[in-house]
Amino acid sequence: MGYKSCRGDRPQNNRRRWLAALLVLIAAGLLVFAALEVYIGLHSRGKTVSADANPQVMVIFGCQMRPDGPSVLLKDRLDTALAYWEEHKDIRIVVTGGKGDDEHVSEARGMYDYLTARGVDGDSIYMEDQSRNTWQNVNYTFALMEREGWNLTDDVLLVSSGFHLARIELLWDRARAQALRGQPYNGQYVSTLAAPVSHAPSAVQMFFREPLALVKSFLFDRG
């Protein structure tokens, strides 16, 4: 009877070990997720990296265009950029974002129209309208800067929603290194400007989505 009882305990012991392992994995996943949220939060308020920073270029990152105009998230970004432009009207502006399958115009064109309707000189706005994700936003912006003959180490101001800035900074540094192709790096001040997120459902969605997107970009957005 004792022998049978010991054998009968094995399935229960195995289940306990599997449950313990599962709980450890869940706890580890939650810790990683929390660490990523902290990292994103630290970058979400925007920054001016130096008192000497003098951005010559402002890059506004796109978001969904709706039939009646920019989505709430995109309007937040554009209004934030406009407030900065009011005090720095000589800055060059790059609007970046292609046309999604559910969009009637490219995000760059929609942003151009929104800005010019509010007084920005169209000659100071440059459209990058082919990208479909943040990595392409960044790379195609560097390609545009090269085509225009700009100095790739000019100080820049990157404008997007706060939750997006950590990933943008990561990819900007990576793309800049690739664009310079081993040339001497003379320094570039990269400042960021955080737009508010006034659309609550988007804020909740991005709370869960952005850590995963950050991991994906860190691992795979490289070429």
Side-chain angles (χ1 to χ4, degrees):
M1 293 292 292
Y3 175 71
K4 290 182 180 179
S5 176
C6 288
R7 290 194 61 178
D9 288 342
R10 287 182 183 174
Q12 186 173 357
N13 290 337
N14 286 340
R15 284 196 295 270
R16 287 174 179 170
R17 283 194 290 269
W18 279 109
L19 179 59
L22 178 62
L23 291 174
V24 169
L25 286 174
I26 292 173
L30 290 174
L31 285 173
V32 170
F33 183 85
L36 290 169
E37 289 289 2
V38 169
Y39 180 80
I40 291 168
L42 290 173
H43 289 77
S44 66
R45 297 182 180 179
K47 69 176 183 181
T48 301
V49 295
S50 169
D52 298 326
N54 180 32
Q56 292 91 50
V57 180
M58 176 165 61
V59 183
I60 310 172
F61 286 78
C63 194
Q64 186 179 26
M65 280 294 299
R66 299 188 180 278
D68 59 345
S71 62
V72 176
L73 279 182
L74 184 52
K75 188 174 182 296
D76 288 340
R77 297 176 189 185
L78 290 166
D79 289 342
T80 299
L82 278 169
Y84 184 87
W85 171 81
E86 288 287 350
E87 303 296 327
H88 306 84
K89 292 191 176 181
D90 58 343
I91 197 167
R92 291 170 293 190
I93 301 172
V94 177
V95 288
T96 178
K99 179 180 178 298
D101 296 335
D102 59 346
E103 294 173 313
H104 65 294
V105 296
S106 70
E107 293 167 7
R109 168 54 67 178
M111 289 190 282
Y112 178 95
D113 292 344
Y114 187 91
L115 293 172
T116 54
R118 286 155 182 80
V120 181
D121 183 356
D123 289 340
S124 68
I125 305 175
Y126 299 79
M127 289 190 292
E128 181 290 292
D129 59 1
Q130 299 300 309
S131 57
R132 300 296 292 267
N133 56 50
T134 302
W135 180 230
Q136 291 180 357
N137 290 156
V138 171
N139 274 278
Y140 295 172
T141 295
F142 271 99
L144 182 153
M145 293 169 69
E146 284 189 293
R147 289 195 305 271
E148 295 294 332
W150 301 351
N151 187 340
L152 296 184
T153 60
D154 280 348
D155 293 353
V156 299
L157 175 66
L158 310 177
V159 182
S160 192
S161 306
F163 63 79
H164 198 200
L165 294 177
R167 186 153 51 103
I168 288 173
E169 289 187 67
L170 167 72
L171 296 179
W172 189 270
D173 288 345
R174 188 175 290 172
R176 179 180 56 199
Q178 294 182 7
L180 291 175
R181 302 180 185 90
Q183 300 174 26
Y185 173 51
N186 298 320
Q188 177 191 60
Y189 290 123
V190 179
S191 302
T192 57
L193 187 59
V197 181
S198 58
H199 187 243
S202 295
V204 173
Q205 179 185 3
M206 294 304 168
F207 178 85
F208 293 101
R209 177 184 179 276
E210 192 60 25
L212 302 178
L214 182 61
V215 171
K216 177 262 182 186
S217 288
F218 177 78
L219 294 175
F220 300 111
D221 290 340
R222 294 181 177 274

